[in-house]
């Protein structure tokens, strides 16, 4: 098996600096933002010089473009029944795919958002519609992947069945350009007890695979500050939360972690790093080495 391990690194100084920090931490995968995640970004194009710096930085590392995941903005709630908000969120998702395709990365992942007071089955169709609009508008090899959620409020994507339902509404000709990924904190917080045993964790992954017809296309490796079923999306360093080390050891032994990006979204030691400082974050270095050790057992 081959593992591609990385993190969502700090981008102070630019996207290319996030790449260099990841490379200097020994990463073989990476996650980043292409725009400010608190805004729709529906009118933000990416400048050619920014793309050039990003690609030049990648070339200096062991990170292949196909193992880079761009995280969509948090406000892109394509689950919403409010027409104006849906239209803007859908446009933001399409624009994200445009920017990420220009960078040549492997995938965009996104949170589907909240159904609010609407029927959840109808909400699943709206999410799929936004996926289809983006894929039909932007023809590229960059995939668009749904991320499971911690399940707070009326957020969609909490269960395997719901992720499967969303993807079931994507037409077959486009289906290969989409998929899903799993966040360990979200799994635990949404009520999947991945700490019970190695077999129990495997059963959870099997459930998602049955519901969607495919294995995950990425993992977010995060411990959880919240308890099982708390619906809290609070990430902590692996081993410092309610999940603990052992389930991550089990996960690294599962064949489904091979050949896809395995991304840490855990806290950083130095959020105020200087724009021109490409040194790796100490916490990232520690987490990457720990995961590599478990993978080689």
């Amino acid at each position: 098996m081959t593992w591609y391990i990385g993190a969502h690194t700090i981008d102070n100084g630019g996207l290319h600096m996030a790449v260099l920090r990841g490379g200097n931490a020994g990463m073989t995968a990476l996650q980043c933002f292409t725009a400010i995640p608190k805004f729709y970004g529906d009118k933000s194009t990416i400048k050619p010089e920014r793309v050039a710096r990003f690609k030049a930085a990648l070339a200096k590392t062991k990170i292949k473009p196909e193992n880079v995941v761009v995280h969509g903005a948090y406000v892109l709630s394509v689950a919403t029944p409010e027409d104006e908000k849906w239209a803007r969120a859908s446009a933001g998702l399409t624009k994200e795919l445009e920017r990420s395709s220009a960078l040549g990365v492997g995938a965009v992942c996104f949170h589907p958002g909240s159904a609010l007071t609407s029927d959840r089955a109808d909400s699943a169709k709206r999410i799929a519609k936004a996926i289809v609009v983006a894929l039909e508008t932007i023809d590229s090899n960059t995939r668009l992947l749904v991320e499971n959620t911690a399940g707070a409020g009326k957020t969609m994507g909490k269960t395997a069945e719901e992720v499967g339902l969303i993807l079931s509404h994507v037409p077959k000709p486009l289906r290969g350009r989409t998929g899903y990924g799993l966040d360990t904190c979200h799994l635990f917080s949404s009520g999947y007890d991945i700490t019970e045993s190695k077999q129990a964790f495997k059963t959870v992954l099997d459930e998602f695979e049955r519901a969607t017809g495919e294995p995950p296309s990425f993992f977010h490796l995060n411990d959880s500050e919240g308890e099982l079923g708390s619906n809290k999306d609070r990430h902590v360093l692996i081993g410092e939360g309610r999940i603990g080390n052992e389930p991550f050891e089990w996960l690294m032994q599962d064949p489904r972690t091979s050949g896809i990006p395995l991304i840490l979204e855990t806290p950083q030691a130095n959020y105020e790093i200087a724009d021109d400082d490409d040194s790796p974050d100490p916490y990232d270095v520690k987490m990457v080495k720990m995961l590599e050790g478990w993978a080689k057992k």
Side-chain angles (χ1 to χ4, degrees), residues 40-281:
Y40 285 93
D42 52 328
K43 295 177 176 62
S44 301
T45 55
I46 193 162
K47 295 179 180 179
E49 55 267 30
R50 198 169 169 225
V51 173
R53 286 195 298 267
F54 173 82
K55 291 183 175 181
L58 266 189
K60 297 177 181 178
T61 73
K62 294 180 180 178
I63 304 166
K64 295 178 182 178
E66 57 264 34
N67 295 320
V68 177
V69 178
V70 166
H71 200 299
Y74 300 128
V75 296
L76 301 181
S77 180
V78 290
T80 182
E82 299 175 19
D83 290 343
E84 285 187 20
K85 289 184 178 179
W86 182 90
R88 194 163 182 205
S90 176
L93 191 63
T94 296
K95 205 68 176 176
E96 183 59 83
L97 185 60
E98 178 189 287
R99 292 191 298 269
S100 300
S101 297
L103 291 171
V105 304
V108 170
C109 74
F110 72 101
H111 299 175
S114 175
L116 300 178
T117 57
S118 68
D119 179 79
R120 296 181 76 83
D122 290 340
S123 185
K125 291 178 182 177
R126 287 192 293 273
I127 298 162
K129 182 181 176 182
I131 292 171
V132 170
V133 168
L135 294 178
E136 288 183 339
T137 305
I138 308 299
D139 185 13
S140 78
N141 293 324
T142 301
R143 297 176 71 208
L144 193 51
L145 307 174
V146 177
E147 180 179 349
N148 72 307
T149 58
K154 300 292 184 179
T155 53
M156 294 289 292
K158 175 182 176 180
T159 65
E161 290 74 20
E162 218 158 62
V163 173
L165 182 61
I166 292 165
L167 295 175
S168 73
H169 294 301
V170 177
K172 196 171 181 179
L174 296 174
R175 188 61 182 80
R177 294 177 58 202
T178 186
Y180 72 102
L182 295 176
D183 182 307
T184 52
C185 171
H186 297 177
L187 283 174
F188 186 73
S189 295
S190 65
Y192 288 99
D193 191 355
I194 57 175
T195 69
E196 182 184 339
S197 66
K198 187 175 184 178
Q199 181 56 44
F201 201 157
K202 179 181 180 298
T203 299
V204 170
L205 300 184
D206 291 344
E207 186 179 336
F208 275 87
E209 193 162 350
R210 275 195 307 273
T212 61
E214 64 186 78
S217 290
F218 70 89
F219 279 98
H220 284 161
L221 305 180
N222 305 307
D223 209 328
S224 174
E225 182 183 271
E227 296 182 6
L228 176 67
S230 65
N231 301 132
K232 291 183 178 178
D233 187 6
R234 299 286 185 273
H235 302 179
V236 293
L237 294 170
I238 293 172
E240 294 187 7
R242 303 282 183 168
I243 298 174
N245 285 348
E246 197 170 28
F248 292 94
E249 293 187 53
W250 300 334
L251 181 58
M252 295 304 292
Q253 299 305 313
D254 192 289
R256 283 167 283 208
T257 59
S258 178
I260 62 172
L262 307 174
I263 306 292
L264 293 151
E265 294 178 314
T266 44
Q268 303 281 284
N270 186 8
Y271 288 100
E272 305 303 323
I273 190 168
D275 289 357
D276 61 351
D277 185 351
D278 64 3
S279 59
D281 191 89

Side-chain angles (χ1 to χ4, degrees), residues 5-44:
I5 301 170
H8 194 132
T9 53
I10 298 294
D11 61 2
N12 296 2
L15 195 50
H16 64 293
M17 294 302 295
V19 172
L20 295 176
R21 290 176 187 121
N24 289 335
M27 296 179 191
T28 49
L30 187 77
Q31 185 170 281
C32 57
F33 295 123
T34 67
I36 299 170
K38 293 181 181 179
F39 297 96
Y40 285 93
D42 52 328
K43 295 177 176 62
S44 301

